[in-house]
């Protein structure tokens, strides 16, 4: 029964690229979408948690994009209402990955390696029942350990449990612009938020182009990009536009499974850069330091937030 349901779920996703095994052949830039911290049951302006979840799924379905949801179970999936939202992703053919139980920070002195690992096992118990379940772990805050003991302890833990590190190559600060969006709408539900939409799209485009350039610098080719976003209001409202923008840029979509088959994701950089993309970790390991354009990749969206302030937002 489980196998049959899995079969159904794979083919209920309408993405034409679902059968591609690996498309990072250097001829076209590809990207896979991944959404962290979901499903999120918190209240926001405009849309209920169910509406936000459905809006993201509808946008993906309209464009035939198969994505991955990385579950932080205490945000909702540990209760029936939130589990149903995660199941909707799974039923639509999206992959389900692990993003811990309560989103602890591996770099915090208060969080032991054992506690951090237990969080992964606790989340695993909840998501393992979903057909789209994959043994993929997405590090919280993209932090892989601030000491060699934590870093290596996690690497061997993942191996032992047959999990892989679900790296991010194309990191965005959607969460930062989402904070701005919700703050503006909480203050005034009728506010004109179109400048935030434009800033968000420009932010995604800038990061995409910069990480593409970095992939050429480090790998001499277009790697299959794995992009990080979050399960939040900004994507519920404007994911359609984000997808369309990538299409207009000439990029094509692949599944997270296909993207992670790119051999670049087998690498384990010696110097994992905290909170950052695999490409930045590679640059750091190679001693490239602060290359041209580096600031905009690590500014948490400061550039866009500052520009919005100038516009009175
Ligand atoms: Zn997260």
């Amino acid at each position: 029964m489980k196998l049959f349901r899995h079969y159904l779920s794979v083919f209920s996703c309408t993405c034409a690229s679902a059968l591609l095994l690996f498309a990072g052949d250097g001829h076209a830039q590809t990207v896979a979408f991944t959404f962290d911290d979901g499903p999120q049951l918190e209240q926001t302006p405009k849309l209920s948690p169910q509406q936000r979840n459905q809006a993201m799924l509808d946008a993906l379905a309209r464009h035939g994009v198969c994505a991955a949801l990385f579950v932080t179970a205490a945000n909702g999936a540990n209760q029936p209402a939130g589990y149903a939202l995660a199941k909707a992703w799974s039923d639509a053919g999206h992959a389900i990955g692990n993003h811990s139980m309560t989103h602890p920070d591996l770099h915090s002195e208060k969080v032991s390696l054992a506690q951090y690992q237990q969080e992964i096992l606790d989340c695993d118990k909840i998501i393992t029942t979903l057909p789209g379940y994959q043994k993929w772990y997405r590090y919280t805050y993209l932090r892989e350990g601030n000491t060699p003991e934590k870093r290596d302890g996690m690497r061997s833990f993942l191996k032992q449990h047959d999990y892989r590190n679900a790296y991010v190559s194309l990191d965005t600060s959607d969460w930062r612009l989402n904070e701005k969006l919700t703050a503006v709408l909480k203050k005034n539900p009728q506010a004109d938020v179109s400048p935030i939409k434009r800033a968000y799209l420009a932010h995604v485009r800038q990061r995409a182009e910069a990480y593409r350039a970095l992939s050429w610098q480090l790998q001499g080719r277009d790697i299959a990009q794995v992009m990080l976003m979050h399960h939040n209001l900004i994507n519920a409202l404007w994911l359609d536009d984000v997808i369309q923008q990538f299409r207009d840029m000439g990029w094509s979509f692949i599944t997270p499974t296909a993207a992670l088959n790119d051999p670049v994701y087998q690498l384990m950089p010696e110097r994992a850069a905290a909170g950052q993309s695999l490409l930045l970790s590679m640059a750091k390991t190679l001693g490239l330091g602060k290359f041209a354009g580096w600031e905009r990749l690590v500014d948490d969206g400061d550039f866009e937030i500052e520009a919005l302030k100038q516009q009175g937002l």
Side-chain angles (χ1 to χ4, degrees), residues 36-37 99 103:
D36 283 12
D37 300 8
H99 194 47
H103 213 279

Side-chain angles (χ1 to χ4, degrees), residues 36-37 72 99 103 138-142 228 230:
D36 283 12
D37 300 8
T72 298
H99 194 47
H103 213 279
R138 168 69 49 80
Y139 280 91
T140 50
Y141 308 98
L142 305 181
L228 168 62
H230 293 81

Side-chain angles (χ1 to χ4, degrees), residues 56-123:
M56 285 179 261
L57 289 174
D58 287 349
L60 293 168
R62 262 194 298 278
H63 295 270
V65 175
C66 280
L69 178 70
F70 284 88
V71 173
T72 298
N75 286 351
N78 60 346
Q79 1 174 345
Y83 183 84
L85 301 188
K87 188 168 179 302
W89 284 72
S90 190
D91 289 346
H94 303 294
I96 303 292
N98 188 326
H99 194 47
S100 84
M101 196 67 192
T102 68
H103 213 279
D105 179 0
L106 185 58
H107 288 197
S108 164
E109 288 186 4
K110 292 182 195 139
V111 178
S112 72
L113 180 60
Q115 278 172 322
Y116 192 85
Q117 292 172 347
Q118 189 58 47
E119 289 250 356
I120 298 168
L121 297 175
D122 290 346
C123 178

